[in-house]
Amino acid sequence: MSDQSESSSTGDNLLHTSEQDHGLPRLRQFSPVHVRKLGMTRKLRERRDFKDENPEEKARRHKEMELKPLYKELLYTIAHKLGKPSSAEVFTDSQLHQYIKEAFTLTESEHSTLMEKVQSTEPPVYCLMATVKEAMGILGKDVSGFSDPYCMLTILEDEQESRTRQSRAKPCKSVVKDAVSRDKIYETDIKKQTLNPIWNQTFIIEFEDVSSASFHLEMWDKDEEVSLTQKLEEIKTNFNSLRRMIKDAKKEKGTDDFLGSVVLKLQDLHCTEDNWYNLEPRTETYPDRGQCHLNLKFIHKSRDGTLSAGRSAYINYCGILQQFVQAYISKQQSSAPWKGELCGEAQTLLELYATQNDLSPFLQDLAKWVAYSKLYQSLEVDSSVLLQQLTSIEYHWHQQELPYQQKQELGDSLHGFLQYGLCLVAKYRDIFPPTPQATPKLHTLLRILVQICKTQAFQKLNPAQFELHDELSDAIKTGTQEWFTIKKGLHQPMTKDLSEIGRALSRLIMEVQEDVKHNKDIWNRVFVSAVQVDVFTVIYHKFDSLLAKEVRETLSLMKDEMEQPLANSLFPVYLSLQAIHKDKAFLQKRGLLELTDIHDGFREALPYWLNQAFSTTQDRVERAVQVDQLQPLESGAVPIKHSSSAVDLVACVQPICQLWEQLSWPDPEEAFMLMVKLTEDVCKIVVNYCHILKERVRVLSENSDHSSAINMLCVVVNDLEHLRSVLTRLPTQLNWAGLRDRTQNVIGESQFHNTLPSQLQQAQSILGREIQSALDTLGKKLNTDIETHVRSMSTRRRIPSKSSEDAATPLMRYLEQELQYMNENLVQENFNSLLTPLWNNSIKIIYQVATQHPQQEGLMVFCQRLLYTLQCLEQCFHAEGNGLPLTALQSDEYKVLKAHLTHNSLNSQQLVEKFLERKIWEQKVYSGEKYGAVTLLTSYRRSDQRLRVEVLNAVNLLPMDSNGFSDPFVQLCLEPNHVFPEIEPRSTQIKSCDLNPLFDEAFEFLVSLEQCQALGACLVVTVLDHDTLSTDDFEGEAFLSLKSIPGVAGAREEDELNSQPDAVPAQIRLPLMHPKPNEDSILRLLESRRGEREAQGFVKKRRQREKQSKEGVHS
């Protein structure tokens, strides 16, 4: 981690402990209360004595005093190495010599000189440190089934063992007892009555030559004299031991039983062995004799003390380890952190040195921790290496007691690394930037600090109270203060100009804002997961006080000096503060924040901000209109029908809406007034846009043809419609509903709704009037053209010169072309707005033309064309459901026009049929018998095509004579006359002085089924009062549809005429009616056709009935 601290020279830190590290003095500024006294008393004597040395002299002295003694120790270790190293790879002495020469950067002459010195030293005493730990599954030699085992250990030279074997007369189980003198045999304690003894006893056995010596261990069962009483008792408790007792009786008294042996050649052993070994028998009697657990290690005694005078093996091991690590790292080409690996030569040498000097695993791990923790402060060392060493130290702490000096060193090292880690944490922004590569390093460092505080070693060796959580929080606060001070200095304004001061403050706060974001999104996860420290909350509260103070001081300088440039420089400051203040939602502990009311200081700048937004937007809108060519935009598959200025306007207005969100003004009442001002500004911009857009149309239309002018007018309509939709969304964009909830306690409901919506409605009404004005201009041209086409349909000749389809084609072609053009160039809302008045005007034009036709003789043909045109127009404007709905098309005016055209389009016979159909309908719905009634019995026989009508009676007739009676008779007539031209009317006999006459007369009419089913075919029943001297008086009339007579309704196929039976006659009672004079439009129309005799005869007859009608008199 070369970037974590200043690099120190290689020599100065080789053997110094952690309290001497350069990082320690810096920790006092972070944790002055908890600086431990333990481990701080050592004096830096060497550094003090040689403070002013030049680098060359310093390096020379370091080599002489530090490196060469270590080098001699390694040469001595190689020269007197014992056992095989644990690594699979085996190195020769020359390979090891070459490695240490390169690792210590010594020349060949220096190596030779030191080699001679080592060769002249006294050799050490070779020793095997044997620890008998335990055994299991050994033989039970006693009567009880157990044994009293003990072990005998020694090392035999090959010659000794051979002489011992030759000197025996017969094979003997014992080798150790007889091979060497008693003082060279080592015995363990006797473990009573067990088959799984545990000893854990260590013995150091000296030997001379490792190549010709063997390690011997014999296990014996101790045999002691036992009384007869005890043996009898054993027999009683365990009869199975009888055979063992007999065997025991045969042997000599006091002779121990052999349990097994282990023989190992020293040259086959590793430096350290820790294994279970089988106990071997001397005979095959009991081959399975159990196992023994041994720990064997080759060590030196009486090593030459002149190699590194005055230094312990532990100190030397630390120096060698650190030198090897630095040599390994310096050779690596990669920039990746060192992960604890060393080359094979280094591992072999470290293992040999530690074993020969009997350094415990605890001391080795302690040395590695001290070395690696120092390297971490100057080189790129993977943090997992430190975690591994901490775990090992924690494990060994419970297994072994450290010497006092090493305890001191471990305590100082742990505490020193903690303080160094706190220094790194204080500068985490620079050392661990928010990148995927750096944040894991921070996480691991924090885990190391936590692990240190959890270790028993740290808790025992550092009695002073040390709360990591509090220390980290203090370091973060101190680091944040320093970071803020540095950033403030970097952004210091160069002049005393207030605007420049405002911009400098803005840059500073933006840096803080970004730092807050990184802490919230990245660093906080690291700190919380590793050490449960909410770094976001810590730095947020710190920045809150720092920023509040800085902003208040700056704003105090600007009081009563506010102008537009100064206000502009403060706007980014306010926005950044708002963004930082909104992040309070993520705080775990809220508390009182100093930035809460910071908006008060910006109240003086607020009007300038609003004015700047309005003027900027207004200028952008004017520029957008000036470059607008009023052509529809095309974008993708869906065309955009408005022009560029409408799009620009929406984009220009959007910042005003965003201003409301950016300000987030907290005071409710002031926020309402702010909303009123923003809404008013938007409405002003929209209205002004309408005016300058109209002027733009006028300018562009001056030199354009009529079609281009219409096209531009369509685009303008679309622009205004688009703008209207934007205004409709304005309450949502500005969140009026949210403002209403905030202001309901200070602003009344009526005041709220009478202010904001009224502003919007006023602007929308202006837009609506402008849109309608443009649509009216388009509609006027279309109406004029439609009227021209309609009037051209009239003809002066009785025979039309062309069909109705041909006559209407020019108008329909014109409308389809124009409406398609409008549909393509107008948005749907405006197109629909144009269709409705255009349809209504078309109906008016057709009605006016139809009613003002000057020549009666061509009216029918003209109305036929108009009716056909009306039907085509209806289909055109409906457009299969895509245009106007039928409910809008079929208005009252439409119905009147259609009826008028329908009647005028019919010939006289069709009108008569229409008239009779109406009379039949009136007869059906007529109720009451005001003028009496007549009863008939009717039927039709298809077999002989005869219509039979039997007049039964009449009732409640009106008295027509002066005597109060009448002389009634019934006249039957089949209508219309053109359907029944040869059928004469029939009459009943006259019944004198009778208002309820009984006739019982039958009449038959020879008519075809087709005639009876013709349109308007009916039986007209007229009741008359017979007068001899004057015209018969009219009693009333009734209309019976022939289709309702039995036998008429149904199919008319020829095969069915004879197959169907005759219908049963039906009796029907018909109320008598009187016609209303001069109310029938069909009669008036027929009456106008004076050249048609048949029509005039029908009208005359009906007018006569109207004159005789009592309806007008009674009404």
Side-chain angles (χ1 to χ4, degrees), residues 1016-1035:
C1018 63
L1019 175 66
V1020 180
V1021 182
T1022 306
V1023 180
L1024 300 170
D1025 172 46
H1026 177 70
D1027 286 333
T1028 306
L1029 300 177
S1030 61
T1031 307
D1032 295 337
D1033 293 326
F1034 178 66
E1035 285 280 356

Side-chain angles (χ1 to χ4, degrees), residues 917-930:
E917 286 287 339
R918 185 184 296 174
K919 284 299 182 180
I920 293 170
W921 177 79
E922 290 178 2
Q923 184 70 51
K924 287 182 180 179
V925 300
Y926 189 77
S927 61
E929 296 180 353
K930 181 179 179 181

Side-chain angles (χ1 to χ4, degrees), residues 487-623:
K487 294 297 181 182
K488 180 181 176 182
L490 291 175
H491 297 292
Q492 196 71 20
M494 301 301 294
T495 64
K496 293 185 178 181
D497 179 66
L498 294 180
S499 298
E500 178 61 28
I501 293 176
R503 286 189 289 271
L505 179 61
S506 173
R507 293 191 294 270
L508 173 62
I509 297 178
M510 288 178 67
E511 292 249 28
V512 173
Q513 181 183 354
E514 184 179 7
D515 184 77
V516 170
K517 183 179 184 300
H518 287 155
N519 275 279
K520 179 183 63 142
D521 298 338
I522 300 176
W523 285 316
N524 197 58
R525 290 199 300 267
V526 177
F527 277 91
V528 170
S529 64
V531 290
Q532 288 74 52
V533 172
D534 184 9
V535 68
F536 171 74
T537 300
V538 175
I539 66 103
Y540 190 92
H541 283 287
K542 187 64 178 179
F543 279 138
D544 179 69
S545 60
L546 292 173
L547 289 178
K549 178 183 178 182
E550 191 70 24
V551 171
R552 290 193 180 98
E553 290 177 355
T554 303
L555 292 179
S556 64
L557 299 175
M558 302 176 179
K559 190 175 183 180
D560 300 329
E561 301 288 341
M562 194 60 62
E563 293 179 353
Q564 191 66 57
L566 183 56
N568 293 345
S569 68
L570 289 179
F571 187 64
V573 174
Y574 181 83
L575 293 184
S576 297
L577 290 175
Q578 281 293 101
I580 294 173
H581 189 61
K582 287 179 181 178
D583 284 336
K584 68 181 180 182
F586 299 96
L587 291 176
Q588 297 300 318
K589 298 179 181 179
R590 295 290 177 89
L592 183 63
L593 297 175
E594 296 186 38
L595 289 176
T596 302
D597 298 324
I598 201 66
H599 69 282
D600 291 338
F602 295 92
R603 188 175 282 107
E604 189 178 355
L606 184 58
Y608 292 93
W609 295 344
L610 298 178
N611 178 69
Q612 179 69 24
F614 175 78
S615 58
T616 301
T617 304
Q618 186 66 37
D619 292 341
R620 290 180 61 188
V621 170
E622 290 179 359
R623 290 196 300 270

